[in-house]
Amino acid sequence: MFSHKLKNFFIKNNVKKRLSNVKHATSSEPVQSIGIIIDERFLNELSGLIDEIKNFGFNGTQIEYVVFKERIKKDETFDYSVFSYKDINWNGRFLPSKVADFCLKKFDLLISYYTDEKAALLLATHCSKASFKVGFSEVDNRLHHFMIKEDPKHYSVFVEELFKYLKILKKI
């Protein structure tokens, strides 16, 4: 338990240092692929969130997601990609895993669907190669190109606002 909190502290400090000199480069390309990093607390909203995105003309093959779970039991299995602190070393680097592959993938849009600044979620968002990152306003503003102030339980309002601004920015 103590080592878990200590590791979280070191990873969070590592991410904060990296964010001090981040330069956001955006692409003018339209959104074709979407990645979602979601905290397990909002897993119930995931299917609704994906359905709302599909209503704007995207299909299931264009959307990928990864779920952060604090602790994964040895015998637990999932139908989706999951990561935890075990997938991160003490230097703040992802070990070879599905989340490492997810972060290296070039998404046109990354949705960071979490409000708590957990080190693993911050690191995944920061390491992502997505060209346009969107998240909630409660999270460090240096991580995202665009932030929306909304309750994560209201995923339909979040998606509606997101696509309204994506149209204004000529991303869709």
Side-chain angles (χ1 to χ4, degrees):
M1 181 70 171
F2 178 73
S3 67
H4 174 71
K5 289 186 181 210
L6 189 62
K7 185 176 185 180
N8 186 33
F9 174 78
F10 280 120
I11 294 170
K12 201 171 204 175
N13 279 346
N14 189 321
V15 172
K16 296 287 183 176
K17 280 184 201 171
R18 289 186 203 176
L19 288 174
S20 65
N21 60 3
V22 71
K23 293 179 178 72
H24 285 295
T26 58
S27 166
S28 60
E29 297 294 317
V31 174
Q32 297 292 325
S33 60
I34 299 173
I36 303 171
I37 299 172
I38 189 164
D39 190 357
E40 69 178 322
R41 290 184 338 146
F42 304 115
L43 195 55
N44 293 335
E45 285 78 22
L46 182 61
S47 62
L49 178 70
I50 291 173
D51 289 341
E52 289 292 325
I53 292 171
K54 287 179 181 178
N55 289 339
F56 283 92
F58 291 89
N59 62 44
T61 60
Q62 294 172 297
I63 304 167
E64 288 185 42
Y65 60 91
V66 64
V67 178
F68 171 72
K69 190 165 173 61
E70 291 271 344
R71 298 183 202 304
I72 299 174
K73 296 175 185 160
K74 285 185 180 181
D75 57 344
E76 258 185 312
T77 58
F78 302 96
D79 298 336
Y80 46 84
S81 297
V82 178
F83 72 104
S84 70
Y85 286 108
K86 290 182 180 179
D87 296 305
I88 305 169
N89 68 18
W90 284 77
N91 295 328
R93 304 268 185 249
F94 284 107
L95 303 172
S97 63
K98 289 182 180 178
V99 70
D101 296 339
F102 180 88
C103 289
L104 291 173
K105 194 162 189 174
K106 295 276 291 174
F107 292 107
D108 298 318
L109 174 65
L110 177 73
I111 299 173
S112 301
Y113 211 80
Y114 57 87
T115 55
D116 293 340
E117 289 193 352
K118 296 176 183 173
L121 292 166
L122 297 174
L123 182 65
T125 300
H126 177 67
C127 291
S128 173
K129 302 296 182 207
S131 59
F132 193 73
K133 299 177 185 179
V134 175
F136 289 96
S137 61
E138 291 89 355
V139 180
D140 192 325
N141 62 0
R142 297 174 292 179
L143 279 172
H144 302 106
H145 297 98
F146 186 73
M147 294 172 296
I148 297 174
K149 184 172 177 72
E150 187 57 56
D151 183 358
K153 301 285 184 191
H154 302 137
Y155 57 83
S156 59
V157 177
F158 176 85
V159 173
E160 189 177 307
E161 286 295 307
L162 171 60
F163 279 89
K164 178 173 79 173
Y165 285 102
L166 288 176
K167 284 180 187 175
I168 291 169
L169 296 170
K170 297 182 177 157
K171 293 259 183 215
I172 56 171

